[in-house]
Amino acid sequence: SDSSDSGLYQLQQEAPRPKRITCPQEVSTGKSVFHGLISRERADELLAGTEGAYLIRESQRQPGTYTLALRFGGQTLNYRLFYDGKHFVGEKRFESVHDLVTDGLITLYIETKAAEYIAKMTTNPIYQHLGYTSLLRDKITHRLNRTRSERKKVTFQQDEKISPSPLSRRTTIKDGPEKHCNYEKIHNFKVHTFRGPHWCEYCANFMWGLIAQGVRCSDCGLNVHKQCSKLVPSDCQPDLRRIKKVFSCDLTTLVKAHNTPRPMVLDMCIKEIEHRGLKSEGLYRVSGFTEHIEDVRLAFDRDGEKADISANMYPDINIIAGALKLYLRDLPISVITYDVYSKFIQAAKITDPDSRLEAVHDGLLQLPPAHYETLRYLMTHLKRVTMYEKDNYMNSENLGIVFGPTLMRPPDQNTLATLNDMRYQKLIVQLLIEHEDILF
């Protein structure tokens, strides 16, 4: 049969339809598709000659378990049938056995008739050429072709030719016009049931079945076959209408959705703190009133970059500092990600200062770009906080105590390990602040 992209849709239309074979014995509920304890052979006789015929029987081999017997391709197929509020034989769950059989027959029919085609389906994707991607590309070309500027490669070993040692070199912080970074982001695919016919936006083929025909990215809305989802590049461009919150949202997802290099919470809170709070005693250590911090969170979730966090709204700067700490603490993946956490802890344990900084720097280069940029910007700010130590009493060690557990969480939340790690978390943040000029 012709299996072009509409061919699979055609095949779904042609697939055998389910036919209930009811039990001749009257049950109190009327005619039932359940035949009780009958043998495979008897089921075979009852279904013979009718493509799509099905019945349910109690298994003779394992009494108390149920078997769906289904006629397809001239033979009887037997499946163990489960129920947990919905009916299932595989991973798809159905409201009724009839729906399960309808879906099963479509899948069997298409996978039998077009096996070879399906195997090749993902090899010549349209994804790069049309549809979703090109649409996006038009929208964000200006951003896609600006690659991230190369991070500074730093060596910490002393070099005779350089008079001041690299550690004492102070580079001026460049807070010029922000470049929009093209961060990669993987899609957030979830199994999805499509109403009405849908075609895959990766391979352009029909997505067959009655329910759960494919997956949809809950951040950008891309619809693809489950098998195609493994091949889609990491180019999710989140749609603001799908991103419900600012707090507790994955960092890369948030910055891509808002088209900013860093989370707006970070930029806005830091701007506010640098404007009116650098001399505030115990900045970041003194906690603000919890209910007001909660108000700030709600304001960001509701209004995004239009949130009002000015002195008129929140005269106490500790509320803004508290909201920033809460934002960082609430990230589903902390700024220093789980997979590089142990590299930083190991680095902190090195006694030689130069080797230690080298190891910290290597760890930084393994962070996802949006996480790296967030950390860089925050450390530049915390360095400024330490310059007002005579007023705010916050040096890099104090800030390390506050921000260590906020910025890095261990992958396994084993409390003892966490307690042991706390001094190293503090040390890492302390080093990042003290040497931010050469580490980033």
Side-chain angles (χ1 to χ4, degrees), residues 85-155:
K86 291 196 174 181
H87 305 274
F88 60 101
V89 295
E91 50 184 42
K92 290 187 180 187
R93 286 167 157 64
F94 298 84
E95 295 295 341
S96 70
V97 174
H98 201 73
D99 283 354
L100 183 153
V101 176
T102 308
D103 185 83
L105 287 166
I106 290 168
T107 304
L108 286 165
Y109 188 74
I110 287 182
E111 288 178 1
T112 308
K113 291 273 189 192
E116 214 175 305
Y117 181 77
I118 290 168
K120 293 205 200 86
M121 202 166 67
T122 54
T123 56
N124 187 21
I126 54 147
Y127 190 73
Q128 267 62 26
H129 315 301
L130 61 112
Y132 171 80
T133 317
S134 56
L135 230 148
L136 265 184
R137 206 154 276 157
D138 298 343
K139 273 195 269 179
I140 56 170
T141 307
H142 66 284
R143 197 158 53 96
L144 282 179
N145 52 26
R146 279 194 192 148
T147 49
R148 204 169 86 247
S149 56
E150 279 298 297
R151 294 178 189 164
K152 275 192 295 190
K153 182 66 194 123
V154 189
T155 50

Side-chain angles (χ1 to χ4, degrees), residues 23-40:
C23 181
Q25 274 85 41
E26 283 291 323
V27 189
S28 58
T29 54
K31 289 219 183 307
S32 164
V33 75
F34 178 57
H35 289 246
L37 200 62
I38 61 169
S39 66
R40 276 179 175 241

Side-chain angles (χ1 to χ4, degrees), residues 196-332:
H198 269 72
W199 276 261
C200 172
E201 293 170 47
Y202 181 77
C203 73
N205 286 291
F206 178 63
M207 290 154 82
W208 62 89
L210 191 67
I211 66 158
Q213 304 92 332
V215 293
R216 167 176 284 177
C217 173
S218 30
D219 295 339
C220 74
L222 181 69
N223 302 319
V224 294
H225 288 112
K226 193 175 174 189
Q227 64 266 44
C228 291
S229 70
K230 299 175 180 64
L231 303 168
V232 175
S234 301
D235 60 357
C236 172
Q237 177 55 43
D239 179 344
L240 268 178
R241 287 167 304 191
R242 294 176 178 276
I243 308 296
K244 299 282 180 283
K245 291 188 301 193
V246 169
F247 275 63
S248 313
C249 172
D250 169 67
L251 200 154
T252 305
T253 304
L254 185 78
V255 297
K256 283 199 69 117
H258 288 271
N259 197 1
T260 55
R262 294 172 300 277
M264 90 276 276
V265 180
L266 190 80
D267 284 31
M268 290 171 64
C269 290
I270 286 177
K271 189 178 169 192
E272 199 60 35
I273 290 162
E274 295 199 350
H275 173 56
R276 61 185 172 102
L278 287 174
K279 293 182 174 179
S280 173
E281 189 178 324
L283 180 65
Y284 288 117
R285 189 179 50 75
V286 175
S287 17
F289 191 47
T290 316
E291 267 179 49
H292 290 169
I293 293 174
E294 202 49 47
D295 286 346
V296 174
R297 178 223 288 269
L298 292 171
F300 273 115
D301 281 346
R302 191 184 57 236
D303 308 324
E305 61 270 10
K306 296 191 176 68
D308 180 3
I309 58 168
S310 65
N312 304 336
M313 281 300 282
Y314 303 103
D316 178 7
I317 199 63
N318 296 314
I319 290 161
I320 306 306
L324 176 56
K325 286 190 298 181
L326 178 67
Y327 170 75
L328 296 167
R329 211 168 39 242
D330 270 5
L331 287 169

